[in-house]
Each structure stands twice: as C-alpha cells, then as structure tokens.
Amino acid sequence: MLPSRSPAVRVALSVAIATGLYGLSFGALSVAAGLDLLQTMALSLLLFSGGSQFAFVGVIAGGGSGISAMSAAALLGIRNGVYGMQINVLLRPARWRKLPAAHLTIDESVATATGQTDPDEQRRGFWAAGIGVFVLWNLFTLVGALAGNAMGDPARWGLDGAAVAAFLGLLWPRIRTREPAAIAVVCAAVTLVAVPLVPAGVPILIAAVVAAALGLAGLGPVTEGLEPDVEPYPTGPAGSPRGDA
C-alpha cells in the first residue's frame, strides 16, 4: 500500500505536525532557562521526550542542580520503558531496528500504532509518527532556540519563570482524579516545607520520593500515568497531542 493511502500514516502525519510545533516553545523556554543552543538541541535529539525535557529545563530554571533536573526527567520517562515492552510485543522489530524503535517509542508513536488492528498498519503508524515527530520536534526546537537567543536576557521580557510555568501546564492535565490531586497536594506541601531547609533542587527529589511512596502504598490506580497521553483517533473534535515530544 502506498503510504499516502495508509490511514495510519495519515493519522501519524497529523499527530506529528501538531506535536512538532510544541518544539518551538521548548526551544525558546530552554534558552530562557539558561541552556545554550547546543545543549537545547542535545536534549531534543538525544532525550527526545517532551515531558522529560520540559521537566529538565523547569528544574534548571527554578535553580535546581543538574542531578535534580535529570532525576525529574527520568521519573517522567519511566513510562517509555513500559511502552517499549508493549511495542516490542506488538511490532517485533528486527534486531537492527530495535535501537531506533526504542528511541522513537513515545506517546504519539505508541498511541498511533496501538490504535490500529492490522499489523502492517500498526508498523506504518508507529514509524510514521515516530519519525515525523522526531524530525519536526527537532526542527522547531532549533527555530525556538534561535528565536530565544535573539531575544537576549529572558528576564528583560519577564520570561525567566516561563519554563517552570510551562512544566506546570504540562503536568496539570494529568491530575484528572482525586488520587493524583491528593498526591500533588501532599508533594507541594512537602516541597514548601523543604525549600528553606535544603539546597535548591533537593526539594523536588524529596517530593518525588514521597510521591513514589504514596504510589507504592496503593494510593491511585496502578496504571495511572502509564498510558499514552495522546488520543490520535478522537471520537469528537480533533484532539490536541500533548505527550512525549
């Protein structure tokens, strides 16, 4: 089948365009947080996980250390490991394809592939969404970073807190039920108490430990946060991808 006639490819391209545009905001916010152009592009090229990238620059913008930023990014990236096991069973990629498939396993590619019933369409959807998002995400990251550099000192424009605000905006839709909301409130309280007592960046680690302990204690569904954030086959108006990249 020609790619242009594949329903999965058409869905994948629409998801890739919508998601790729978010790279523009990431590039600008990363520069505003103090990262240079190469560091910003390295995050998009190598980490390639939108939620984790926003978490990383959010912690840096808040004065946290590199270790704190990496810890926050890693926590949000855990679900990609779960996706990887699912994709490995679903697509059974050949040996040489395992590494690129692992790198392209994000919310958008997983949601596009699992929304198909035909095995060939599942493969087309996964690769089209993964490659499409990767190319456009990095392209718009570059444009956003260059635009951010041209603006000079972000504090002059009141944008020095924008990365933290963007990360909170990314996190907010995940708090859909009372259990995640309760965990968020507890962790926010723990963070506020810890801020004057420990170095910058450490409060978020303490809050993460508290959140993990509450999760392990059974507060909230066991699958909460492990499903793709993207619905590429909406039953109503077109959805707005807000997932991995």
Side-chain angles (χ1 to χ4, degrees), residues 75-142:
L75 284 173
L76 284 179
I78 287 175
R79 71 185 190 283
N80 287 355
V82 179
Y83 295 166
M85 291 186 284
Q86 185 180 8
I87 288 299
N88 190 49
V89 172
L90 190 69
L91 305 183
R92 297 190 178 282
R95 179 178 298 179
W96 69 272
R97 291 183 177 178
K98 286 185 179 293
L99 184 58
H103 197 54
L104 297 177
T105 297
I106 54 177
D107 285 327
E108 290 77 8
S109 58
V110 173
T112 304
T114 55
Q116 299 290 329
T117 55
D118 179 73
D120 289 335
E121 283 294 275
Q122 289 172 342
R123 279 190 286 274
R124 294 188 191 104
F126 173 81
W127 290 106
I131 294 173
V133 172
F134 182 81
V135 171
L136 294 177
W137 177 260
N138 279 281
L139 175 63
F140 284 107
T141 294
L142 177 62

Short mmCIF file of all heavy atoms in Angstrom, two decimals, residues 75-142:
data_model
loop_
_atom_site.label_atom_id
_atom_site.label_comp_id
_atom_site.label_asym_id
_atom_site.label_seq_id
_atom_site.Cartn_x
_atom_site.Cartn_y
_atom_site.Cartn_z
N LEU A 75 12.12 10.37 36.03
CA LEU A 75 10.86 9.91 36.61
C LEU A 75 9.73 9.97 35.58
O LEU A 75 8.90 9.07 35.49
CB LEU A 75 10.52 10.77 37.84
CG LEU A 75 11.30 10.46 39.11
CD1 LEU A 75 10.99 11.50 40.18
CD2 LEU A 75 10.98 9.07 39.62
N LEU A 76 9.71 11.07 34.81
CA LEU A 76 8.65 11.19 33.80
C LEU A 76 8.88 10.25 32.62
O LEU A 76 7.94 9.95 31.89
CB LEU A 76 8.57 12.63 33.30
CG LEU A 76 7.90 13.62 34.25
CD1 LEU A 76 7.91 15.02 33.65
CD2 LEU A 76 6.46 13.20 34.52
N GLY A 77 10.12 9.82 32.43
CA GLY A 77 10.42 8.94 31.30
C GLY A 77 10.23 7.46 31.59
O GLY A 77 10.38 6.64 30.67
N ILE A 78 9.88 7.13 32.82
CA ILE A 78 9.73 5.71 33.18
C ILE A 78 8.69 5.03 32.30
O ILE A 78 8.85 3.88 31.89
CB ILE A 78 9.37 5.58 34.67
CG1 ILE A 78 10.59 5.90 35.53
CG2 ILE A 78 8.85 4.18 34.99
CD1 ILE A 78 10.30 5.90 37.02
N ARG A 79 7.61 5.76 32.00
CA ARG A 79 6.53 5.12 31.24
C ARG A 79 6.99 4.71 29.85
O ARG A 79 6.42 3.79 29.25
CB ARG A 79 5.33 6.05 31.15
CG ARG A 79 5.50 7.25 30.25
CD ARG A 79 4.27 8.14 30.36
NE ARG A 79 4.25 9.20 29.37
CZ ARG A 79 4.97 10.32 29.44
NH1 ARG A 79 5.80 10.48 30.46
NH2 ARG A 79 4.88 11.24 28.51
N ASN A 80 8.02 5.38 29.30
CA ASN A 80 8.52 4.98 27.98
C ASN A 80 9.09 3.56 28.00
O ASN A 80 9.04 2.86 26.99
CB ASN A 80 9.58 5.97 27.49
CG ASN A 80 8.97 7.30 27.09
OD1 ASN A 80 7.75 7.45 27.09
ND2 ASN A 80 9.80 8.27 26.77
N GLY A 81 9.61 3.15 29.14
CA GLY A 81 10.09 1.77 29.27
C GLY A 81 8.94 0.78 29.18
O GLY A 81 9.06 -0.29 28.57
N VAL A 82 7.81 1.15 29.79
CA VAL A 82 6.61 0.31 29.71
C VAL A 82 6.11 0.25 28.27
O VAL A 82 5.76 -0.82 27.75
CB VAL A 82 5.51 0.84 30.65
CG1 VAL A 82 4.26 -0.03 30.56
CG2 VAL A 82 6.03 0.89 32.08
N TYR A 83 6.11 1.42 27.60
CA TYR A 83 5.72 1.45 26.19
C TYR A 83 6.62 0.53 25.36
O TYR A 83 6.18 -0.15 24.45
CB TYR A 83 5.84 2.86 25.60
CG TYR A 83 4.93 3.89 26.17
CD1 TYR A 83 5.15 5.24 25.93
CD2 TYR A 83 3.82 3.55 26.94
CE1 TYR A 83 4.32 6.22 26.43
CE2 TYR A 83 2.98 4.51 27.45
CZ TYR A 83 3.25 5.85 27.20
OH TYR A 83 2.43 6.82 27.70
N GLY A 84 7.91 0.56 25.67
CA GLY A 84 8.87 -0.23 24.89
C GLY A 84 8.56 -1.71 24.93
O GLY A 84 8.64 -2.40 23.90
N MET A 85 8.17 -2.21 26.10
CA MET A 85 7.81 -3.64 26.19
C MET A 85 6.57 -3.92 25.36
O MET A 85 6.47 -4.97 24.70
CB MET A 85 7.58 -4.00 27.67
CG MET A 85 8.85 -3.97 28.51
SD MET A 85 8.60 -4.55 30.18
CE MET A 85 7.77 -3.11 30.90
N GLN A 86 5.62 -2.99 25.37
CA GLN A 86 4.40 -3.16 24.60
C GLN A 86 4.69 -3.14 23.10
O GLN A 86 4.18 -3.98 22.35
CB GLN A 86 3.42 -2.05 24.96
CG GLN A 86 2.05 -2.18 24.31
CD GLN A 86 1.13 -1.03 24.72
OE1 GLN A 86 1.55 -0.08 25.38
NE2 GLN A 86 -0.13 -1.13 24.34
N ILE A 87 5.52 -2.20 22.66
CA ILE A 87 5.85 -2.10 21.24
C ILE A 87 6.67 -3.30 20.77
O ILE A 87 6.49 -3.80 19.66
CB ILE A 87 6.62 -0.79 20.97
CG1 ILE A 87 5.65 0.40 21.08
CG2 ILE A 87 7.27 -0.80 19.60
CD1 ILE A 87 4.51 0.38 20.08
N ASN A 88 7.53 -3.80 21.61
CA ASN A 88 8.34 -4.96 21.24
C ASN A 88 7.46 -6.17 20.96
O ASN A 88 7.68 -6.93 20.01
CB ASN A 88 9.34 -5.28 22.35
CG ASN A 88 10.36 -6.31 21.92
OD1 ASN A 88 10.96 -6.19 20.86
ND2 ASN A 88 10.54 -7.34 22.74
N VAL A 89 6.42 -6.36 21.77
CA VAL A 89 5.50 -7.47 21.56
C VAL A 89 4.62 -7.21 20.34
O VAL A 89 4.35 -8.12 19.54
CB VAL A 89 4.62 -7.67 22.82
CG1 VAL A 89 3.52 -8.69 22.55
CG2 VAL A 89 5.48 -8.10 23.99
N LEU A 90 4.22 -5.97 20.16
CA LEU A 90 3.28 -5.63 19.09
C LEU A 90 3.94 -5.68 17.71
O LEU A 90 3.39 -6.25 16.76
CB LEU A 90 2.72 -4.23 19.33
CG LEU A 90 1.54 -3.77 18.46
CD1 LEU A 90 0.29 -4.57 18.80
CD2 LEU A 90 1.28 -2.28 18.66
N LEU A 91 5.12 -5.10 17.57
CA LEU A 91 5.75 -4.95 16.26
C LEU A 91 6.88 -5.96 16.02
O LEU A 91 7.24 -6.19 14.87
CB LEU A 91 6.31 -3.53 16.10
CG LEU A 91 5.33 -2.38 16.31
CD1 LEU A 91 6.02 -1.05 16.03
CD2 LEU A 91 4.11 -2.53 15.41
N ARG A 92 7.44 -6.48 17.06
CA ARG A 92 8.58 -7.40 16.96
C ARG A 92 9.61 -6.88 15.95
O ARG A 92 9.86 -7.50 14.91
CB ARG A 92 8.10 -8.80 16.55
CG ARG A 92 7.18 -9.44 17.56
CD ARG A 92 6.92 -10.89 17.27
NE ARG A 92 6.07 -11.47 18.29
CZ ARG A 92 6.45 -11.85 19.49
NH1 ARG A 92 7.74 -11.71 19.82
NH2 ARG A 92 5.62 -12.37 20.36
N PRO A 93 10.22 -5.73 16.23
CA PRO A 93 11.20 -5.16 15.28
C PRO A 93 12.42 -6.06 15.12
O PRO A 93 12.83 -6.74 16.06
CB PRO A 93 11.56 -3.82 15.93
CG PRO A 93 11.30 -4.02 17.39
CD PRO A 93 10.12 -4.94 17.47
N ALA A 94 12.98 -6.06 13.89
CA ALA A 94 14.21 -6.81 13.65
C ALA A 94 15.33 -6.24 14.50
O ALA A 94 15.24 -5.12 15.02
CB ALA A 94 14.57 -6.72 12.17
N ARG A 95 16.39 -7.04 14.61
CA ARG A 95 17.47 -6.67 15.55
C ARG A 95 18.01 -5.27 15.31
O ARG A 95 18.15 -4.49 16.24
CB ARG A 95 18.61 -7.68 15.43
CG ARG A 95 19.79 -7.38 16.34
CD ARG A 95 20.85 -8.43 16.24
NE ARG A 95 20.35 -9.73 16.66
CZ ARG A 95 21.09 -10.84 16.66
NH1 ARG A 95 22.34 -10.79 16.25
NH2 ARG A 95 20.56 -11.98 17.06
N TRP A 96 18.29 -4.93 14.02
CA TRP A 96 18.89 -3.62 13.73
C TRP A 96 17.91 -2.48 13.95
O TRP A 96 18.30 -1.33 14.06
CB TRP A 96 19.45 -3.59 12.32
CG TRP A 96 18.40 -3.61 11.23
CD1 TRP A 96 17.85 -4.72 10.65
CD2 TRP A 96 17.76 -2.48 10.62
NE1 TRP A 96 16.90 -4.36 9.72
CE2 TRP A 96 16.84 -2.98 9.67
CE3 TRP A 96 17.88 -1.10 10.78
CZ2 TRP A 96 16.04 -2.16 8.90
CZ3 TRP A 96 17.09 -0.28 10.00
CH2 TRP A 96 16.17 -0.80 9.07
N ARG A 97 16.61 -2.81 14.00
CA ARG A 97 15.61 -1.76 14.20
C ARG A 97 15.29 -1.52 15.67
O ARG A 97 14.56 -0.59 16.00
CB ARG A 97 14.32 -2.11 13.46
CG ARG A 97 14.43 -2.05 11.95
CD ARG A 97 13.09 -2.35 11.30
NE ARG A 97 13.16 -2.22 9.85
CZ ARG A 97 12.14 -2.47 9.04
NH1 ARG A 97 10.99 -2.87 9.53
NH2 ARG A 97 12.29 -2.32 7.73
N LYS A 98 15.79 -2.37 16.55
CA LYS A 98 15.42 -2.24 17.97
C LYS A 98 15.87 -0.91 18.56
O LYS A 98 15.12 -0.27 19.32
CB LYS A 98 16.02 -3.41 18.77
CG LYS A 98 15.31 -4.74 18.55
CD LYS A 98 15.87 -5.81 19.45
CE LYS A 98 15.13 -7.14 19.25
NZ LYS A 98 13.73 -7.07 19.70
N LEU A 99 17.10 -0.48 18.23
CA LEU A 99 17.61 0.76 18.81
C LEU A 99 16.82 1.99 18.33
O LEU A 99 16.33 2.78 19.16
CB LEU A 99 19.10 0.93 18.51
CG LEU A 99 19.76 2.15 19.14
CD1 LEU A 99 19.61 2.13 20.66
CD2 LEU A 99 21.25 2.21 18.75
N PRO A 100 16.64 2.17 16.98
CA PRO A 100 15.81 3.30 16.57
C PRO A 100 14.37 3.19 17.06
O PRO A 100 13.74 4.21 17.38
CB PRO A 100 15.90 3.28 15.03
CG PRO A 100 16.39 1.92 14.67
CD PRO A 100 17.23 1.47 15.81
N ALA A 101 13.84 1.97 17.12
CA ALA A 101 12.46 1.82 17.63
C ALA A 101 12.38 2.26 19.09
O ALA A 101 11.41 2.91 19.50
CB ALA A 101 12.01 0.37 17.48
N ALA A 102 13.39 1.92 19.86
CA ALA A 102 13.39 2.33 21.28
C ALA A 102 13.44 3.85 21.41
O ALA A 102 12.76 4.44 22.25
CB ALA A 102 14.59 1.70 21.99
N HIS A 103 14.25 4.48 20.54
CA HIS A 103 14.37 5.95 20.62
C HIS A 103 13.08 6.65 20.19
O HIS A 103 12.78 7.75 20.67
CB HIS A 103 15.53 6.41 19.74
CG HIS A 103 15.99 7.80 20.05
ND1 HIS A 103 16.37 8.22 21.31
CD2 HIS A 103 16.14 8.90 19.24
CE1 HIS A 103 16.72 9.49 21.28
NE2 HIS A 103 16.58 9.93 20.05
N LEU A 104 12.34 6.01 19.30
CA LEU A 104 11.11 6.62 18.77
C LEU A 104 9.87 6.18 19.53
O LEU A 104 8.75 6.52 19.14
CB LEU A 104 10.94 6.28 17.29
CG LEU A 104 12.03 6.79 16.34
CD1 LEU A 104 11.77 6.30 14.93
CD2 LEU A 104 12.12 8.31 16.38
N THR A 105 10.05 5.43 20.62
CA THR A 105 8.91 4.98 21.41
C THR A 105 8.48 6.10 22.36
O THR A 105 9.08 6.32 23.41
CB THR A 105 9.27 3.72 22.21
OG1 THR A 105 9.58 2.66 21.30
CG2 THR A 105 8.11 3.28 23.09
N ILE A 106 7.46 6.81 21.93
CA ILE A 106 6.93 7.95 22.69
C ILE A 106 5.40 7.85 22.69
O ILE A 106 4.82 6.97 22.07
CB ILE A 106 7.37 9.29 22.05
CG1 ILE A 106 6.99 9.31 20.57
CG2 ILE A 106 8.87 9.50 22.25
CD1 ILE A 106 7.31 10.60 19.86
N ASP A 107 4.76 8.76 23.38
CA ASP A 107 3.29 8.74 23.46
C ASP A 107 2.66 8.66 22.07
O ASP A 107 1.75 7.86 21.82
CB ASP A 107 2.78 10.01 24.15
CG ASP A 107 3.01 9.97 25.66
OD1 ASP A 107 2.94 8.89 26.24
OD2 ASP A 107 3.23 11.04 26.23
N GLU A 108 3.12 9.52 21.16
CA GLU A 108 2.47 9.66 19.86
C GLU A 108 2.61 8.40 19.02
O GLU A 108 1.63 7.94 18.41
CB GLU A 108 3.07 10.85 19.10
CG GLU A 108 2.72 12.21 19.70
CD GLU A 108 3.52 12.55 20.94
OE1 GLU A 108 4.47 11.79 21.26
OE2 GLU A 108 3.22 13.56 21.59
N SER A 109 3.80 7.82 18.95
CA SER A 109 4.00 6.63 18.12
C SER A 109 3.28 5.42 18.70
O SER A 109 2.71 4.61 17.97
CB SER A 109 5.50 6.33 17.97
OG SER A 109 6.12 6.16 19.22
N VAL A 110 3.28 5.30 20.03
CA VAL A 110 2.60 4.17 20.67
C VAL A 110 1.09 4.27 20.48
O VAL A 110 0.42 3.29 20.13
CB VAL A 110 2.95 4.12 22.17
CG1 VAL A 110 2.11 3.06 22.88
CG2 VAL A 110 4.43 3.83 22.37
N ALA A 111 0.55 5.47 20.68
CA ALA A 111 -0.90 5.64 20.54
C ALA A 111 -1.34 5.40 19.10
O ALA A 111 -2.39 4.80 18.86
CB ALA A 111 -1.29 7.05 20.99
N THR A 112 -0.55 5.86 18.13
CA THR A 112 -0.91 5.65 16.73
C THR A 112 -0.86 4.17 16.36
O THR A 112 -1.75 3.66 15.68
CB THR A 112 0.04 6.43 15.81
OG1 THR A 112 0.01 7.81 16.17
CG2 THR A 112 -0.38 6.31 14.35
N ALA A 113 0.16 3.47 16.82
CA ALA A 113 0.29 2.04 16.49
C ALA A 113 -0.79 1.21 17.17
O ALA A 113 -1.42 0.36 16.54
CB ALA A 113 1.68 1.55 16.91
N THR A 114 -1.02 1.43 18.43
CA THR A 114 -1.98 0.61 19.17
C THR A 114 -3.42 0.92 18.78
O THR A 114 -4.32 0.14 19.09
CB THR A 114 -1.81 0.79 20.68
OG1 THR A 114 -1.92 2.19 21.01
CG2 THR A 114 -0.46 0.29 21.15
N GLY A 115 -3.64 2.01 18.08
CA GLY A 115 -4.99 2.33 17.62
C GLY A 115 -5.37 1.58 16.35
O GLY A 115 -6.50 1.69 15.89
N GLN A 116 -4.43 0.84 15.77
CA GLN A 116 -4.67 0.07 14.56
C GLN A 116 -4.85 -1.42 14.89
O GLN A 116 -4.28 -1.90 15.87
CB GLN A 116 -3.49 0.24 13.59
CG GLN A 116 -3.24 1.66 13.13
CD GLN A 116 -4.34 2.17 12.21
OE1 GLN A 116 -4.94 1.40 11.45
NE2 GLN A 116 -4.62 3.46 12.28
N THR A 117 -5.61 -2.10 14.07
CA THR A 117 -5.81 -3.55 14.28
C THR A 117 -4.99 -4.37 13.29
O THR A 117 -4.61 -5.51 13.60
CB THR A 117 -7.29 -3.92 14.13
OG1 THR A 117 -7.76 -3.46 12.85
CG2 THR A 117 -8.13 -3.27 15.22
N ASP A 118 -4.72 -3.81 12.11
CA ASP A 118 -3.92 -4.54 11.12
C ASP A 118 -2.44 -4.43 11.47
O ASP A 118 -1.94 -3.31 11.68
CB ASP A 118 -4.18 -3.94 9.73
CG ASP A 118 -3.37 -4.64 8.66
OD1 ASP A 118 -3.70 -5.78 8.31
OD2 ASP A 118 -2.36 -4.04 8.20
N PRO A 119 -1.71 -5.54 11.51
CA PRO A 119 -0.28 -5.48 11.90
C PRO A 119 0.55 -4.56 11.01
O PRO A 119 1.44 -3.86 11.50
CB PRO A 119 0.17 -6.94 11.79
CG PRO A 119 -1.08 -7.73 12.00
CD PRO A 119 -2.18 -6.93 11.35
N ASP A 120 0.29 -4.57 9.69
CA ASP A 120 1.05 -3.69 8.80
C ASP A 120 0.76 -2.23 9.08
O ASP A 120 1.66 -1.37 9.04
CB ASP A 120 0.72 -4.02 7.34
CG ASP A 120 1.30 -5.36 6.90
OD1 ASP A 120 2.31 -5.78 7.51
OD2 ASP A 120 0.74 -5.97 5.98
N GLU A 121 -0.50 -1.93 9.34
CA GLU A 121 -0.86 -0.55 9.68
C GLU A 121 -0.25 -0.13 11.02
O GLU A 121 0.13 1.02 11.23
CB GLU A 121 -2.37 -0.40 9.72
CG GLU A 121 -3.03 -0.32 8.37
CD GLU A 121 -2.63 0.95 7.62
OE1 GLU A 121 -3.26 1.99 7.85
OE2 GLU A 121 -1.66 0.90 6.84
N GLN A 122 -0.16 -1.06 11.95
CA GLN A 122 0.47 -0.75 13.23
C GLN A 122 1.92 -0.35 13.02
O GLN A 122 2.40 0.62 13.62
CB GLN A 122 0.40 -1.98 14.16
CG GLN A 122 -1.00 -2.26 14.66
CD GLN A 122 -1.08 -3.57 15.42
OE1 GLN A 122 -0.21 -4.43 15.31
NE2 GLN A 122 -2.15 -3.74 16.18
N ARG A 123 2.63 -1.10 12.16
CA ARG A 123 4.03 -0.76 11.89
C ARG A 123 4.14 0.59 11.17
O ARG A 123 4.97 1.43 11.53
CB ARG A 123 4.68 -1.87 11.04
CG ARG A 123 5.12 -3.07 11.85
CD ARG A 123 5.96 -4.01 11.00
NE ARG A 123 5.13 -4.75 10.06
CZ ARG A 123 4.52 -5.88 10.37
NH1 ARG A 123 4.65 -6.40 11.57
NH2 ARG A 123 3.78 -6.51 9.47
N ARG A 124 3.29 0.79 10.16
CA ARG A 124 3.35 2.07 9.44
C ARG A 124 3.05 3.24 10.38
O ARG A 124 3.71 4.28 10.32
CB ARG A 124 2.33 2.06 8.29
CG ARG A 124 2.63 1.07 7.18
CD ARG A 124 1.69 1.28 6.00
NE ARG A 124 1.78 0.20 5.03
CZ ARG A 124 0.88 -0.76 4.89
NH1 ARG A 124 -0.21 -0.75 5.65
NH2 ARG A 124 1.04 -1.71 4.01
N GLY A 125 2.05 3.06 11.20
CA GLY A 125 1.67 4.14 12.13
C GLY A 125 2.78 4.46 13.11
O GLY A 125 3.08 5.63 13.37
N PHE A 126 3.42 3.42 13.66
CA PHE A 126 4.49 3.65 14.64
C PHE A 126 5.65 4.41 14.02
O PHE A 126 6.11 5.43 14.56
CB PHE A 126 4.98 2.31 15.19
CG PHE A 126 6.17 2.44 16.08
CD1 PHE A 126 6.03 2.80 17.42
CD2 PHE A 126 7.46 2.23 15.59
CE1 PHE A 126 7.13 2.94 18.24
CE2 PHE A 126 8.57 2.37 16.40
CZ PHE A 126 8.41 2.73 17.73
N TRP A 127 6.14 3.91 12.88
CA TRP A 127 7.32 4.54 12.28
C TRP A 127 7.01 5.92 11.72
O TRP A 127 7.82 6.85 11.84
CB TRP A 127 7.90 3.64 11.18
CG TRP A 127 8.54 2.41 11.73
CD1 TRP A 127 8.05 1.13 11.67
CD2 TRP A 127 9.77 2.32 12.44
NE1 TRP A 127 8.91 0.26 12.30
CE2 TRP A 127 9.96 0.96 12.77
CE3 TRP A 127 10.73 3.25 12.84
CZ2 TRP A 127 11.08 0.52 13.49
CZ3 TRP A 127 11.84 2.81 13.54
CH2 TRP A 127 12.01 1.47 13.87
N ALA A 128 5.84 6.08 11.12
CA ALA A 128 5.49 7.39 10.56
C ALA A 128 5.34 8.43 11.67
O ALA A 128 5.83 9.56 11.55
CB ALA A 128 4.20 7.29 9.75
N ALA A 129 4.68 8.06 12.76
CA ALA A 129 4.51 9.01 13.86
C ALA A 129 5.85 9.28 14.55
O ALA A 129 6.18 10.44 14.84
CB ALA A 129 3.50 8.46 14.86
N GLY A 130 6.62 8.23 14.79
CA GLY A 130 7.89 8.41 15.49
C GLY A 130 8.87 9.26 14.71
O GLY A 130 9.45 10.22 15.24
N ILE A 131 9.05 8.93 13.42
CA ILE A 131 9.99 9.70 12.59
C ILE A 131 9.47 11.11 12.35
O ILE A 131 10.22 12.10 12.41
CB ILE A 131 10.24 8.97 11.26
CG1 ILE A 131 10.96 7.64 11.52
CG2 ILE A 131 11.07 9.83 10.31
CD1 ILE A 131 11.09 6.76 10.29
N GLY A 132 8.16 11.22 12.09
CA GLY A 132 7.58 12.55 11.85
C GLY A 132 7.74 13.48 13.04
O GLY A 132 8.14 14.64 12.88
N VAL A 133 7.43 12.98 14.23
CA VAL A 133 7.57 13.81 15.43
C VAL A 133 9.04 14.15 15.67
O VAL A 133 9.38 15.30 16.01
CB VAL A 133 6.97 13.10 16.66
CG1 VAL A 133 7.29 13.89 17.94
CG2 VAL A 133 5.46 12.95 16.51
N PHE A 134 9.92 13.17 15.47
CA PHE A 134 11.35 13.42 15.73
C PHE A 134 11.88 14.54 14.83
O PHE A 134 12.56 15.47 15.30
CB PHE A 134 12.15 12.13 15.48
CG PHE A 134 13.62 12.28 15.75
CD1 PHE A 134 14.11 12.19 17.05
CD2 PHE A 134 14.51 12.50 14.71
CE1 PHE A 134 15.47 12.33 17.31
CE2 PHE A 134 15.87 12.65 14.96
CZ PHE A 134 16.35 12.56 16.26
N VAL A 135 11.56 14.47 13.55
CA VAL A 135 12.06 15.47 12.61
C VAL A 135 11.49 16.86 12.93
O VAL A 135 12.23 17.85 13.04
CB VAL A 135 11.73 15.07 11.16
CG1 VAL A 135 12.05 16.22 10.19
CG2 VAL A 135 12.50 13.82 10.76
N LEU A 136 10.18 16.93 13.08
CA LEU A 136 9.54 18.23 13.30
C LEU A 136 9.85 18.80 14.68
O LEU A 136 10.02 20.01 14.85
CB LEU A 136 8.03 18.11 13.08
CG LEU A 136 7.63 17.79 11.64
CD1 LEU A 136 6.13 17.62 11.53
CD2 LEU A 136 8.12 18.89 10.70
N TRP A 137 9.91 17.93 15.69
CA TRP A 137 10.22 18.38 17.05
C TRP A 137 11.59 19.04 17.10
O TRP A 137 11.78 20.11 17.69
CB TRP A 137 10.15 17.20 18.01
CG TRP A 137 10.54 17.52 19.43
CD1 TRP A 137 11.73 17.28 20.04
CD2 TRP A 137 9.71 18.15 20.41
NE1 TRP A 137 11.71 17.72 21.34
CE2 TRP A 137 10.47 18.25 21.59
CE3 TRP A 137 8.39 18.62 20.41
CZ2 TRP A 137 9.97 18.81 22.76
CZ3 TRP A 137 7.89 19.18 21.59
CH2 TRP A 137 8.68 19.27 22.73
N ASN A 138 12.57 18.40 16.45
CA ASN A 138 13.92 18.96 16.46
C ASN A 138 14.01 20.21 15.59
O ASN A 138 14.72 21.16 15.94
CB ASN A 138 14.92 17.90 15.98
CG ASN A 138 15.28 16.94 17.09
OD1 ASN A 138 16.10 17.24 17.96
ND2 ASN A 138 14.64 15.77 17.10
N LEU A 139 13.31 20.21 14.46
CA LEU A 139 13.31 21.40 13.61
C LEU A 139 12.75 22.61 14.35
O LEU A 139 13.35 23.69 14.36
CB LEU A 139 12.48 21.12 12.34
CG LEU A 139 12.29 22.31 11.39
CD1 LEU A 139 13.64 22.78 10.84
CD2 LEU A 139 11.35 21.94 10.25
N PHE A 140 11.62 22.43 15.00
CA PHE A 140 11.01 23.57 15.69
C PHE A 140 11.74 23.90 17.00
O PHE A 140 11.67 25.04 17.46
CB PHE A 140 9.52 23.30 15.94
CG PHE A 140 8.69 23.46 14.71
CD1 PHE A 140 8.17 22.36 14.04
CD2 PHE A 140 8.45 24.72 14.19
CE1 PHE A 140 7.42 22.51 12.89
CE2 PHE A 140 7.70 24.89 13.03
CZ PHE A 140 7.18 23.77 12.37
N THR A 141 12.41 22.91 17.59
CA THR A 141 13.27 23.23 18.74
C THR A 141 14.36 24.20 18.32
O THR A 141 14.66 25.19 19.01
CB THR A 141 13.90 21.97 19.31
OG1 THR A 141 12.89 21.13 19.87
CG2 THR A 141 14.91 22.30 20.41
N LEU A 142 14.98 23.93 17.16
CA LEU A 142 16.03 24.81 16.64
C LEU A 142 15.49 26.22 16.38
O LEU A 142 16.11 27.21 16.77
CB LEU A 142 16.60 24.21 15.35
CG LEU A 142 17.66 25.06 14.63
CD1 LEU A 142 18.89 25.25 15.53
CD2 LEU A 142 18.06 24.40 13.31
#
